[in-house]
């Protein structure tokens, strides 16, 4: 977990490994680790993050950092005198223990004023305390468009598409946009035995109808890759014999088409208004997050796809349903991202794993892609 | 609340008042208070309960006990030499702080073996500790079919029918039967961004559909007085971006027709099986309570209705959506129950109240009914 003693140790360890392969390695004040290929004006930037979630697995996102280390190692071993080198990076706190994508946001100059000061862990520890505790020093590393020809990130899929289709490499063409909404209804608590149905103001009833409608409407109006989820649903006061006075749910939906997200969100508001009219229950809906979709760079994706085919794998072109540092890096330089299968689609759990042959195969594809990129 | 210092004090207070009007008063080992009209072989039994719920109001069920006290007082004042007298009772723990209808169940010999030993409060205190603490003594009072010609109970309605129709007296013809069911679904937690819709096993989705179906089906297949409620709904793990691995709800429905309750329960199982087949989600339903409907005695109800008309009120014949001591007493003797309006239909809350004129009017009807009963 970001800023834990293990995280600090892992980042020091990574600096040593990067130095061993001939890169100039160090950390910045946030704990970002950067290994710089010496003596070149330009370099491909490869990496991901080494922090994880509590009880997280060993691959998300250390895999992408180690792929970077290995790519730098073999390419340097092969031709240390290249004019375009390989830089390797491990970003800090991608998982948001304190601030999601802290490291990559800082790297791309996207931290908002006051964002560091306001950030806290779930347990309430301020990010500033964690920074002091960890003791990282140095000016923040910054993206250098003059130097970095592209950012490449490898990651386990965290979903079942590759593993279930038997495909060893996925090329990420886009990151989904995310809409998260909270829907609240307010009615009146009444005795559920003595209050006639016509006299009730049951807050939960319209939200049950809404939840059932979401399944039907999103399946019909969404795209082939649209996903949605009602992951929270609470009823007040929550007694078997009391008519619900309040009900609240969260709806989240994701797609890479921003117009489709807009249409779905508009349909949600319209349907809720209709339900409120029909049931005379006060319903409020609020968007709590609107993360816009993002795309990787087509030319970089093409290079990864060609590298995969070179190794005998027709890659799956896919959207990423989760956010990654690569999504942030896209604001500063060309980007490409590849997925390798995760067994059972598991992640964020100690059971997270990938067949070792898939790990090795993915690394070969990555190195092949980087080599192609250095030649362009 | 039953067995609280206030409850013990209230029951001692009641004994004094009953003695003042010439009844022989005392408590039994449970705290039931009985005032016996001396020198008669037969008596009408009037009463209810003086315990309430935490933060409960002042009328549920003290009103019915005080009506009994007042009926005994005026009838004794009028003709102390009657051959049929008026006994007054306040049952213990009708509200089920430890054991619902403890007092009336004991009175009617309906306590099951081991029931006292197993009963505990929500906070975990055994009933036996509460009994020891309160220190009530004496053999349990018992219903005496040779003596008691009928049991009459007055109570606030706890619903809005009387207050909203402007009727001052309701005559209860039946007590609804109650079915309570727990429905649980088990699916699989997955990342709600990275798992395609077709690969999810969302435990909440079929229960949302079920909840929406309940509203439609019960409205169509239920009777005019059928009521139902989904008062609890929980989703696991309960995170916006995690597909629900579990979902659980409680469904409660009430009607005075046992066949209708059976048909509705059967339809619930059938629909859940269909949903389980369609969604491939494992769904379990379990009936956690099946309280059969009960009826009051027609001749006693008629007497209350005539008394109401005598006082210029055409009473509303109604079913009781809640349980009462009267429901228990029906197994031992003829019973009648009357409701008076409760403002806003409120009860089980300190805001519970009734217009003082309605309280007085109801008492006049009760006394009139008792007098008629004593003449039959």
């Amino acid at each position: 977990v970001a800023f834990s003693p293990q995280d600090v140790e892992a980042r020091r360890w990574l600096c040593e490994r990067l130095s061993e392969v001939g890169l100039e390695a160090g950390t910045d004040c946030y704990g970002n680790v950067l290994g710089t290929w010496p003596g070149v004006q330009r370099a491909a930037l490869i990496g991901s993050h080494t922090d994880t979630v509590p009880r997280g697995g060993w691959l998300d996102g250390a895999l992408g950092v180690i792929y970077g280390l290995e790519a730098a190692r073999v390419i340097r071993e092969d031709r240390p005198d290249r004019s375009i080198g390989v830089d390797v990076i491990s970003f800090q706190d991608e998982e948001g223990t304190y601030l999601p994508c802290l490291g990559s946001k800082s790297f791309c100059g996207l931290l908002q004023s006051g964002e560091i000061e306001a950030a806290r862990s779930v347990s309430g520890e301020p990010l500033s305390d964690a920074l002091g505790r960890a003791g990282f020093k140095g000016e923040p590393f910054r993206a250098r468009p003059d130097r970095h020809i592209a950012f490449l990130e490898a990651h386990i899929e965290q979903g079942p598409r590759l593993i279930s289709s038997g495909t060893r490499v996925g090329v990420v063409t886009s990151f989904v946009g995310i809409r998260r909404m909270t829907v609240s209804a307010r009615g009146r608590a009444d005795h559920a035995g003595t209050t006639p149905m016509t006299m009730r103001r049951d807050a939960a009833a319209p939200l049950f109808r809404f939840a059932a409608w979401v399944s039907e409407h999103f399946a019909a109006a969404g795209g082939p890759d649209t996903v949605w989820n009602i992951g929270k649903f609470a009823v007040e006061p929550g007694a078997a014999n009391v008519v619900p006075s309040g009900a609240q749910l969260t709806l989240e939906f994701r797609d890479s088409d921003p117009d489709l997200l807009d249409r779905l969100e508009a349909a949600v508001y319209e349907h809720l208004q209709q339900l409120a009219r029909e049931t005379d229950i006060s319903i409020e809906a609020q968007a709590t997050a609107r993360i816009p979709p993002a795309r990787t760079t087509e030319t970089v994706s093409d290079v990864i796809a060609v590298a995969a085919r070179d190794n005998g794998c027709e890659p799956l072109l896919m959207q990423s349903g989760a956010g990654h540092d690569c999504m942030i890096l896209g604001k500063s330089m060309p980007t490409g991202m590849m997925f390798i299968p995760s067994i059972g689609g598991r992640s964020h759990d100690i059971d997270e794993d990938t067949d070792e042959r898939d790990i090795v195969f993915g690394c070969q594809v990555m190195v092949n892609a980087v080599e192609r990129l250095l030649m362009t």
Side-chain angles (χ1 to χ4, degrees), chain A:
Chain A
V1 177
F3 301 112
S4 65
Q6 293 81 356
D7 175 57
V8 174
E9 190 186 335
R11 290 174 188 275
R12 297 249 155 82
W13 177 90
L14 180 61
C15 285
E16 290 171 22
R17 298 293 85 69
L18 292 170
S19 300
E20 280 173 9
V21 304
L23 303 191
E24 291 168 355
T27 55
D28 70 4
C29 58
Y30 296 116
N32 284 326
V33 176
L34 181 63
T36 306
W37 187 293
V40 295
Q41 300 302 313
R42 302 180 73 210
L45 180 66
I46 324 287
S48 186
H49 57 98
T50 42
D51 66 287
T52 183
V53 296
R55 285 182 53 85
W58 68 299
L59 296 172
D60 170 8
L63 178 99
V65 176
I66 299 300
Y67 273 21
L69 173 65
E70 180 65 359
R73 188 186 70 80
V74 298
I75 291 170
R76 230 181 129 68
E77 206 171 77
D78 184 38
R79 275 189 51 197
D81 59 342
R82 299 191 84 110
S83 62
I84 307 180
V86 177
D87 292 352
V88 179
I89 196 155
S90 168
F91 292 113
Q92 179 60 288
D93 202 13
E94 192 266 354
E95 299 291 1
T97 299
Y98 295 86
L99 202 167
C101 294
L102 165 62
S104 49
K105 278 183 180 165
S106 162
F107 190 70
C108 296
L110 294 171
L111 283 176
Q112 306 288 318
S113 152
E115 209 172 350
I116 297 284
E117 292 71 18
R120 286 170 186 271
S121 69
V122 172
S123 68
E125 191 195 17
L127 172 55
S128 51
D129 287 12
L131 285 166
R133 200 161 35 73
F136 292 117
K137 304 267 183 261
E139 284 299 296
F141 295 136
R142 282 296 160 92
R144 290 171 57 189
D146 59 322
R147 175 180 177 91
H148 296 136
I149 60 171
F151 174 67
L152 260 73
E153 181 171 7
H155 205 279
I156 57 164
E157 185 199 344
Q158 302 183 267
R161 292 199 167 187
L162 293 175
I163 198 86
S164 61
S165 67
T167 311
R168 302 179 88 177
V169 169
V171 176
V172 177
T173 54
S174 61
F175 300 95
V176 295
I178 304 176
R179 300 282 162 103
R180 193 175 287 181
M181 305 177 74
T182 302
V183 181
S184 306
R186 194 122 301 280
R188 191 182 59 224
D190 278 307
H191 190 296
T194 57
T195 313
M197 296 310 293
T198 53
M199 292 182 171
R200 299 184 183 193
R201 294 171 51 72
D202 180 345
L207 294 204
F208 289 139
R209 285 174 59 189
F210 172 72
W213 171 86
V214 163
S215 290
E216 286 174 27
H217 181 77
F218 279 59
D225 293 329
T226 307
V227 293
W228 61 92
N229 190 51
I230 294 175
K232 291 189 188 184
F233 196 105
V235 171
E236 293 161 26
N241 63 348
V242 180
V243 177
S245 56
Q248 191 174 68
L249 63 80
T250 58
L251 167 65
E252 194 189 79
F253 49 101
R254 307 183 186 213
D255 198 274
S256 51
D257 176 356
D259 296 334
L260 178 56
L261 292 174
D262 284 343
R263 285 198 303 277
L264 291 170
E265 189 178 332
V268 164
Y269 290 124
E270 196 183 319
H271 187 70
L272 287 173
Q273 277 171 11
Q274 187 188 322
L275 282 171
R277 273 195 308 272
E278 282 177 27
T279 59
D280 196 29
I281 295 290
S282 142
I283 305 177
E284 280 187 24
Q286 201 186 356
T288 55
R290 278 199 191 95
I291 300 170
R295 299 194 66 78
T296 54
T297 309
E298 201 172 338
T299 50
V300 182
S301 294
D302 287 348
V303 166
I304 301 172
V306 168
R309 284 185 205 111
D310 240 25
N311 285 272
C313 164
E314 181 57 41
L316 200 62
L317 301 187
M318 53 202 301
Q319 68 177 22
S320 170
H324 292 286
D325 288 312
C326 187
M327 202 167 169
I328 306 291
L329 270 285
K331 308 209 169 145
S332 297
M333 62 186 75
T335 56
M337 184 155 195
M338 62 174 275
F339 282 163
I340 65 167
S342 44
I343 294 171
R346 301 294 294 271
S347 69
H348 284 192
D349 190 283
I350 49 166
D351 287 345
E352 167 191 296
D353 205 4
T354 295
D355 189 312
E356 217 160 89
R357 288 164 297 184
D358 288 340
I359 294 176
V360 171
F361 182 82
C363 195
Q364 285 164 342
V365 170
M366 171 61 86
V367 172
N368 187 317
V370 175
E371 281 177 327
R372 285 174 180 277
L373 211 59
L374 300 187
M375 289 186 294
T376 55

